[in-house]
Amino acid sequence: MTQPLSEHRHISFTAHYTGYIWYKMGISHAAFATSKGKFLAKLVHPLESWAEKFVGGSMRTTLKLRHTMIDEHLTQLIEQHPDLQVLEIACGLSPRGWSFRQKFPAINYRELDLPDMARIKTEALKTIDTASPEVISVDLFTADFENAFKVFDQSRPLVIISEGLINYFSKDMLQQLLQAMTQYGSSFPELHYLTDIYPEPVKNRLANIIWSCSKLLKWMSRSAFSFHFVTPDEVQHFFSTAGFSKTETVQPSHYFSDMHVAQSNPAEKAMQNEHAGDLVWMIHASVKRN
């Protein structure tokens, strides 16, 4: 029997765009750069250039920021936990799995996406390395998502990664997804979740234009794309209700200016809890069982 089509399948078109942009940035492999991605990149290039000049950033600039922050945090987690396991959900045409398997050959790094994208990604990976594991084919909002956790050793820590995903869901759907992670990951000694998120652009003078662009993306992806949070405190509270005991919100303007901010300084701590004006944030949520 064929699997029923997921209502979230239309989001996958963005994977072609991001896959091509990462390739053009020199951080990916040609196998992940599709003709559809090249077409989309060419189509939105004028808008991206305008946004970089007048808004202070674009989709492609935030792609580099979020990808770098997630990669660096994942590297730190692997250094802390050499036996760490990785599940990248909605992996699309991200080069991260391929790249980290090159850097850390012993790592158990699995990728997951909807059936059509899982097939495309598996075929791309096999052209690079025939030993690459098959991409897991699962809809995150079905009971089958639990099966993805069963391919890992539950005596070792697990990190889940997503990129360019959670803004496509309503807050209720996002809460459902987070609760599924903490529920299905409850047997692991440590569960980490690294993701990016686009906060409300309240600190940007062109916020109305950004909102209008988000409505266009919502229509194109046939999704519930929206901005859900204004402050890091809102993020922390939301993730805590889903079962995560610790949530750190990383803002690029803080992260890249000083990655070692003195947390003992009350003024510095207060700054970390305010919207710094960045178009994208990174989130590191975790729960430890021991």
Side-chain angles (χ1 to χ4, degrees):
M1 292 180 64
T2 59
Q3 291 180 287
L5 294 175
S6 168
E7 63 178 300
H8 311 296
R9 65 189 182 280
H10 303 290
I11 298 173
S12 293
F13 87 95
T14 62
H16 291 273
Y17 170 77
T18 55
Y20 185 77
I21 293 298
W22 282 320
Y23 169 66
K24 293 295 290 183
M25 289 180 176
I27 59 177
S28 187
H29 191 283
F32 305 131
T34 65
S35 57
K36 182 184 291 187
K38 183 177 182 179
F39 169 77
L40 290 170
K42 184 177 181 179
L43 182 68
V44 302
H45 176 75
L47 179 60
E48 292 279 74
S49 297
W50 178 89
E52 287 161 14
K53 183 176 180 180
F54 295 103
V55 179
S58 66
M59 182 63 72
R60 62 191 177 197
T61 60
T62 62
L63 282 176
K64 187 172 185 179
L65 290 172
R66 75 192 199 192
H67 202 77
T68 300
M69 291 189 294
I70 292 175
D71 277 6
E72 290 184 358
H73 276 73
L74 177 56
T75 299
Q76 292 168 13
L77 280 174
I78 294 173
E79 290 172 348
Q80 295 168 12
H81 307 284
D83 61 342
L84 186 72
Q85 307 168 105
V86 185
L87 172 63
E88 183 167 3
I89 61 175
C91 63
L93 293 167
S94 165
R96 183 174 291 112
W98 161 73
S99 175
F100 271 81
R101 282 190 289 265
Q102 300 298 307
K103 297 175 186 175
F104 306 97
I107 195 171
N108 183 10
Y109 193 119
R110 298 300 303 271
E111 300 173 81
L112 176 154
D113 213 312
L114 293 170
D116 286 347
M117 182 52 68
R119 175 183 53 80
I120 293 171
K121 183 63 172 293
T122 297
E123 291 174 355
L125 286 168
K126 294 298 184 182
T127 65
I128 306 171
D129 180 5
T130 56
S132 296
E134 184 174 344
V135 176
I136 300 169
S137 173
V138 167
D139 186 324
L140 299 172
F141 293 92
T142 67
D144 289 341
F145 184 32
E146 182 177 9
N147 294 329
F149 291 77
K150 296 178 181 178
V151 305
F152 296 100
D153 182 345
Q154 297 191 3
S155 67
R156 296 159 52 191
L158 173 70
V159 57
I160 301 171
I161 295 176
S162 70
E163 186 170 0
L165 175 70
I166 62 179
N167 281 94
Y168 287 100
F169 305 138
S170 67
K171 290 185 78 170
D172 286 343
M173 293 168 65
L174 177 55
Q175 184 68 200
Q176 178 185 339
L177 177 61
L178 296 177
Q179 289 178 353
M181 290 181 191
T182 55
Q183 176 185 346
Y184 301 150
S186 61
S187 298
F188 296 86
E190 291 187 25
L191 178 69
H192 298 265
Y193 179 36
L194 299 178
T195 186
D196 67 298
I197 189 168
Y198 289 85
E200 286 197 33
V202 293
K203 293 293 184 75
N204 195 293
R205 59 189 176 86
L206 298 177
N208 289 336
I209 294 177
I210 298 174
W211 266 103
S212 297
C213 290
S214 75
K215 291 177 181 178
L216 175 61
L217 184 56
K218 178 178 181 178
W219 174 78
M220 292 176 65
S221 60
R222 304 183 202 179
S223 69
F225 189 96
S226 187
F227 305 111
H228 301 315
F229 306 107
V230 176
T231 68
D233 281 343
E234 291 177 358
V235 174
Q236 182 175 358
H237 176 72
F238 189 84
F239 275 66
S240 67
T241 61
F244 287 100
S245 56
K246 182 179 180 181
T247 303
E248 176 190 11
T249 301
V250 183
Q251 303 185 65
S253 58
H254 296 157
Y255 184 76
F256 291 105
S257 62
D258 184 359
M259 291 188 288
H260 305 285
V261 174
Q263 291 297 311
S264 59
N265 186 324
E268 297 287 3
K269 279 187 175 182
M271 284 179 59
Q272 300 298 310
N273 292 326
E274 295 180 1
H275 193 316
D278 296 295
L279 295 176
V280 67
W281 296 344
M282 194 211 78
I283 297 171
H284 178 188
S286 61
V287 56
K288 297 182 180 182
R289 310 297 178 182
N290 296 337

